[in-house]
Amino acid sequence: MTSIGGAQMVDWNLAVATATRLVRPGPDISREEARAVVAELRRHAKASEEHVRLFTRMIPEGTEPEDTPVLVVDRPGWIRANVAGFRELLQPLLAKMESRRSGGPGGAVLGAVGGKVTGVELGMLLSFLASRVLGQYETFAPATRELPASANGGGRLLLVAPNIVHVERELDVDPHDFRLWVALHEETHRTQFTGVPWLRDHLQGEIQTFLDETDVDPTTFLERLREAAQSLSGGRPEGEQGESDSRSLVDIVQTPAQREVLGRLTAVMSLLEGHADYVMDGVGPDVVGSVSEIREKFQQRRAQGAGRLDQALRKLLGLDAKLRQYKDGEKFVRSVVDEVGMDGFNRVWTSPNTLPTKAEIAKPADWVARVHRKAES
């Protein structure tokens, strides 16, 4: 990445080091147990391919799905993968900010200090998330020896073993059933991206459009970052409470143009997450004996959070909105499948134009009317 005088807007190495140092240790588990968990997660990931493929019918019979790696990682491994993805996505934006900064007063000092501060703050946020994510289909980080990808440059499926073990113990559910249930959800995401060739580029394009609309003035950027940090720490001076208290970190950095893009991204993410929830519960009764118990307990855990700090952080990071994405997206998928069947629902993957809008996620009948009735007329 371009840097001015050797200083970057984000010290990525410091972000990794900070997050790795601060992340909580995983559950107490012996080396032998850990090996068994890793082996079982790999088996479940493999078995889930066929279950998800048959249920979703997204990949035609006789077609070989894209061979993307399955990586069972610990919390530091998840952190490194996500920093690599963020670095790739943010590179164009930060390059513009570097250029803007170089001509401003105190640019060198701003770079030296700002890069460290931003690296530490990013590390703090990632340390919080790294103990909560069960799995992820990571698609943006470039392929490396530690983070392999498919031959055509696609992504990789990450399963975070210590988090899965922690949650299955916390919920007191059958560990073997829970591991398969999680694998079904994450395998659905892998099927979405491997079965829909244009999806990755579409998402990346939307994200880049969002970033292109960002105010690239470094001083403004740091002011907004400071506002976010004050919200996180509760350090906003008395008398300044108000509307901004209910805003997430994403809200703080938004421009009006970005809100339009974010609306489209929210709709896509609601679709992807809701579809994964629908599939994991649809396949579940046939292969996961205790799926009803797992779902009930997991939903309660999602809704409650771990405490006041956890709830404050979730609000700031926009994770409450993500929880709504699961719920709203699953309702959309279920409603559409009930009305037009799975093959009718799969028209959603035809092109970016057939993706639901944010309004259609809330009103599935409007999507059916637009995509199906228009095609039949």
Side-chain angles (χ1 to χ4, degrees), residues 15-302:
V16 172
T18 300
T20 302
R21 184 176 68 253
L22 295 179
V23 70
R24 292 183 297 181
D28 187 16
I29 186 171
S30 70
R31 188 182 297 270
E32 292 178 359
E33 287 177 305
R35 288 195 184 115
V37 170
V38 170
E40 183 173 16
L41 286 173
R42 291 188 185 280
R43 290 195 303 271
H44 285 330
K46 183 64 178 175
S48 295
E49 288 185 43
E50 187 67 14
H51 294 314
V52 171
R53 184 171 180 171
L54 289 174
F55 186 83
T56 64
R57 301 202 289 273
M58 289 180 64
I59 301 176
E61 288 189 36
T63 302
E64 282 299 318
E66 184 180 324
D67 184 21
T68 54
V70 176
L71 307 179
V72 182
V73 299
D74 56 10
R75 290 168 178 174
W78 180 88
I79 289 167
R80 289 191 293 270
N82 278 267
V83 168
F86 289 151
R87 184 171 187 166
E88 185 73 11
L89 277 175
L90 293 175
Q91 186 169 358
L93 169 65
L94 295 182
K96 288 199 301 184
M97 293 182 73
E98 294 281 3
S99 175
R100 185 87 165 261
R101 184 186 67 189
S102 64
V109 174
L110 182 63
V113 176
K116 299 292 184 185
V117 170
T118 310
V120 168
E121 290 178 338
L122 176 60
M124 291 172 64
L125 296 180
L126 286 172
S127 72
F128 170 78
L129 294 172
S131 62
R132 286 156 174 79
V133 175
L134 301 181
Q136 174 186 357
Y137 186 76
E138 205 297 313
T139 184
F140 297 118
T144 63
R145 179 182 296 181
E146 290 187 350
L147 202 61
S150 62
N152 68 354
R156 69 285 293 168
L157 181 62
L158 306 178
L159 295 171
V160 190
N163 295 350
I164 293 172
V165 172
H166 171 77
V167 174
E168 69 193 25
R169 290 178 176 179
E170 183 182 80
L171 298 181
D172 190 25
V173 294
D174 182 285
H176 309 294
D177 280 1
F178 185 74
R179 293 165 197 173
L180 176 55
W181 188 69
V182 171
L184 289 169
H185 182 102
E186 303 308 331
E187 177 58 36
T188 302
H189 286 317
R190 181 162 69 158
T191 299
Q192 291 163 349
F193 282 91
T194 57
V196 184
W198 51 264
L199 182 58
R200 178 187 182 277
D201 289 342
H202 173 70
L203 269 179
Q204 187 169 19
E206 290 281 54
I207 292 170
Q208 290 304 327
T209 300
F210 181 90
L211 295 176
D212 286 344
E213 292 293 335
T214 299
D215 186 339
V216 296
D217 177 71
T219 302
T220 302
F221 178 80
L222 290 177
E223 285 175 356
R224 290 179 177 180
L225 198 60
R226 190 175 304 113
E227 182 181 351
Q230 288 175 338
S231 297
L232 175 60
S233 64
R236 180 175 293 279
E238 186 177 356
E240 291 188 20
Q241 275 76 15
E243 267 186 42
S244 61
D245 287 347
S246 64
R247 299 162 74 193
S248 72
L249 181 58
V250 172
D251 294 322
I252 290 170
V253 299
Q254 268 189 74
T255 66
Q258 284 176 311
R259 292 191 187 98
E260 294 184 17
V261 180
L262 192 63
R264 297 195 298 269
L265 281 170
T266 297
V268 175
M269 297 312 298
S270 296
L271 171 68
L272 299 181
E273 297 294 355
H275 183 236
D277 265 14
Y278 178 82
V279 171
M280 73 195 296
D281 287 344
V283 175
D286 294 329
V287 298
V288 181
S290 57
V291 64
S292 298
E293 177 192 2
I294 290 173
R295 165 56 73 187
E296 181 180 357
K297 290 183 174 180
F298 193 74
Q299 288 287 62
Q300 291 174 356
R301 182 182 185 274
R302 267 184 182 172

Side-chain angles (χ1 to χ4, degrees), residues 1-11 98 101 107-108 111-112 115-116:
M1 181 179 297
T2 302
S3 62
I4 304 300
Q8 295 181 344
M9 290 294 296
V10 179
D11 188 328
E98 294 281 3
R101 184 186 67 189
K116 299 292 184 185

